[in-house]
Amino acid sequence: MLATGRVAKQKEISQSTRRVANKGKATVLALGKAFPSNVVSQENLVEEYLREIKCDDPSIKEKLQHLCKTTTVKTRYTVMSSETMQKYPELATEGSPTIKQRLEIANEAVVQMAYEASLACIKEWGRTVEDITHLVYVSSSEFRLPGGDLYLSAQLGLSNEVQRVLFYFLGCYGGVSGMRVAKDIAENNPGSRVLLTTSETMVLGFRPPNKARPYDLVGAALFGDGAAALIIGADPTESESPFMELHYALQQFLPGTHGVIDGRLSEEGISFKLGRELPQKIEDNIEEFCKKLVAKAGSGSLELNDLFWARSSRWTGHPERARDETGAETREVGMQQTGVDGLWERKQQHHLLHNGQSKR
């Protein structure tokens, strides 16, 4: 996703400083976020996690300690807590059919976080819920029919004629896919205002460690929970404060890579496997991908360092080897290290893997 026309966002912008949006182009009009109340310090994660799942294997402890140090993550927010484990002790039992229990936790938590993020976003926007014409709802952490989009609509008091789009199980690219669809809706429906929400929890993927599944430890060391919300619309009114224009969206699939990232939903929950070749696949293709974005911008003055998504795309989804890869990314794509370091600082303070969410 290529974003241009970014300006300093203020609730009250004078006519002399307000940047005029390009006619018909989708803009981000407001942002909101929400997190669970349970805060996890990376320093205490290993002892707490292994105690809750009743694991005393020294090799697993050593591996998890190493992963926690190399991620550089400092804090995360999670739905899972000691109270959750006390209520559902079977979640710590290997092979236990717990999908029903996991969905009981996740379905409620995901919608609640989406609700809180949406309220914050609507408040920043400054208009009423009645002005929302479309809802794009993204989550890989719940599963039910009707979906969370309907539950969220009811909680927010949206019109029963609001047009809803539901994205389930898109994984780490769900959020930007939602932005791409919201952009098309906003630009093809004059006067529309799209509420985009993305909400995730790792409850479905929580499981005791197993030497046969080494990547489970990576999830334990990295993943956090939370939600984000945006209001997207074209041709903003005088009362709205656009601060980012969604100029162009590009999606690319690399042939022969459909097995590099693999996710399976079973009676035990959801499991993921990432191929070891994933970082190299991205490194081999990211520069050409970014050049296509720059070319579509139609501006000879735009450089790769101006693209937020180009900076973050290498590791926003899966940064377990990111510190090693950052050097490669900076070298191969020709980026300034200062831009990379700024994003690393955000990642350290709060880490959210799914859907490109990040604490502002």
Side-chain angles (χ1 to χ4, degrees), residues 195-330:
L195 172 62
L196 165 64
T197 66
T198 170
S199 185
E200 304 292 355
T201 172
M202 287 305 297
V203 169
L204 292 185
F206 179 87
R207 65 187 62 228
N210 188 310
K211 292 181 179 179
R213 300 190 310 268
Y215 194 77
D216 286 354
L217 289 180
V218 177
L222 283 172
F223 292 177
D225 304 342
L230 295 85
I231 297 289
I232 295 174
D235 302 323
T237 66
E238 291 298 321
S239 65
E240 294 174 317
S241 303
F243 64 97
M244 180 182 291
E245 181 180 288
L246 304 181
H247 184 75
Y248 181 77
L250 178 65
Q251 186 179 53
Q252 179 179 345
F253 174 72
L254 301 179
T257 61
H258 56 275
V260 175
I261 300 178
D262 184 76
R264 303 292 174 93
L265 187 64
S266 70
E267 292 183 348
E268 296 180 56
I270 194 168
S271 60
F272 290 99
K273 293 181 181 179
L274 303 185
R276 297 182 65 85
E277 67 271 34
L278 176 61
Q280 190 62 48
K281 292 287 186 183
I282 298 175
E283 181 173 327
D284 292 343
N285 292 274
I286 188 66
E287 182 172 6
E288 188 63 30
F289 182 83
C290 293
K291 286 180 178 179
K292 289 181 181 178
L293 283 175
V294 172
K296 288 293 183 180
S299 173
S301 61
L302 191 64
E303 298 179 356
L304 293 180
N305 286 289
D306 299 321
L307 306 183
F308 172 81
W309 294 111
R311 295 182 188 178
S312 63
S313 59
R314 279 300 309 278
W315 51 261
T316 299
H318 308 286
E320 60 274 12
R321 292 177 57 197
R323 182 52 87 175
D324 293 336
E325 293 169 8
T326 298
E329 171 189 301
T330 304

Side-chain angles (χ1 to χ4, degrees), residues 20 27 102-103 130 162-163 200 245 287 296 324 329 339:
V20 178
T27 58
R102 294 172 189 272
L103 289 175
E130 288 80 10
V162 69
Q163 299 185 53
E200 304 292 355
E245 181 180 288
E287 182 172 6
K296 288 293 183 180
D324 293 336
E329 171 189 301

Side-chain angles (χ1 to χ4, degrees), residues 173-194:
Y173 73 99
V176 289
S177 294
M179 290 180 69
R180 175 168 51 86
V181 170
K183 164 184 164 60
D184 288 346
I185 292 173
E187 293 179 352
N188 287 282
N189 296 270
S192 62
R193 291 297 179 264
V194 186

Side-chain angles (χ1 to χ4, degrees), residues 18-301:
R18 189 176 189 272
R19 179 172 293 180
V20 178
N22 289 318
K23 185 174 179 56
K25 279 291 185 180
T27 58
V28 177
L29 302 172
L31 288 167
K33 60 183 183 291
F35 308 106
S37 58
N38 187 46
V39 184
V40 177
S41 169
Q42 199 77 339
E43 294 180 357
N44 303 324
L45 171 71
V46 176
E47 296 296 335
E48 292 179 4
Y49 173 71
L50 296 180
R51 181 173 63 251
E52 289 177 354
I53 60 175
K54 299 179 175 58
C55 176
D56 56 4
D57 188 320
S59 63
I60 289 179
K61 180 177 181 179
E62 181 181 1
K63 178 66 173 178
L64 186 56
Q65 287 176 329
H66 173 71
L67 286 171
C68 287
K69 290 180 181 179
T70 56
T71 63
T72 74
V73 175
K74 293 182 178 180
T75 57
R76 284 174 290 157
Y77 294 77
T78 65
V79 171
M80 292 293 294
S81 63
S82 57
E83 290 76 16
T84 307
M85 294 303 299
Q86 290 173 8
K87 185 176 180 180
Y88 301 96
E90 60 270 27
L91 297 181
T93 302
E94 178 72 28
S96 178
T98 53
I99 187 63
K100 178 181 177 181
Q101 296 91 319
R102 294 172 189 272
L103 289 175
E104 285 179 359
I105 303 167
N107 288 346
E108 180 180 353
V110 165
V111 171
Q112 181 60 31
M113 289 189 294
Y115 173 70
E116 294 174 5
S118 297
L119 285 182
C121 184
I122 294 169
K123 181 179 180 181
E124 181 178 285
W125 180 39
R127 293 176 60 176
T128 66
V129 294
E130 288 80 10
D131 293 330
I132 295 173
T133 60
H134 296 73
L135 171 65
V136 179
Y137 184 93
V138 182
S139 182
S140 297
S141 304
E142 66 162 312
F143 186 73
R144 55 180 166 175
L145 293 174
D149 59 321
L150 183 60
Y151 289 93
L152 178 61
S153 297
Q155 287 191 33
L156 289 173
L158 300 183
S159 166
N160 59 5
E161 295 182 352
V162 69
Q163 299 185 53
R164 309 190 313 273
V165 178
L166 174 63
F167 286 144
Y168 270 166
F169 291 101
L170 292 188
C172 299
Y173 73 99
V176 289
S177 294
M179 290 180 69
R180 175 168 51 86
V181 170
K183 164 184 164 60
D184 288 346
I185 292 173
E187 293 179 352
N188 287 282
N189 296 270
S192 62
R193 291 297 179 264
V194 186
L195 172 62
L196 165 64
T197 66
T198 170
S199 185
E200 304 292 355
T201 172
M202 287 305 297
V203 169
L204 292 185
F206 179 87
R207 65 187 62 228
N210 188 310
K211 292 181 179 179
R213 300 190 310 268
Y215 194 77
D216 286 354
L217 289 180
V218 177
L222 283 172
F223 292 177
D225 304 342
L230 295 85
I231 297 289
I232 295 174
D235 302 323
T237 66
E238 291 298 321
S239 65
E240 294 174 317
S241 303
F243 64 97
M244 180 182 291
E245 181 180 288
L246 304 181
H247 184 75
Y248 181 77
L250 178 65
Q251 186 179 53
Q252 179 179 345
F253 174 72
L254 301 179
T257 61
H258 56 275
V260 175
I261 300 178
D262 184 76
R264 303 292 174 93
L265 187 64
S266 70
E267 292 183 348
E268 296 180 56
I270 194 168
S271 60
F272 290 99
K273 293 181 181 179
L274 303 185
R276 297 182 65 85
E277 67 271 34
L278 176 61
Q280 190 62 48
K281 292 287 186 183
I282 298 175
E283 181 173 327
D284 292 343
N285 292 274
I286 188 66
E287 182 172 6
E288 188 63 30
F289 182 83
C290 293
K291 286 180 178 179
K292 289 181 181 178
L293 283 175
V294 172
K296 288 293 183 180
S299 173
S301 61

Side-chain angles (χ1 to χ4, degrees), residues 5-17:
R6 192 181 310 178
V7 300
K9 181 168 63 68
Q10 309 170 26
K11 287 313 295 180
E12 295 182 0
I13 304 178
S14 67
Q15 285 290 67
S16 61
T17 60

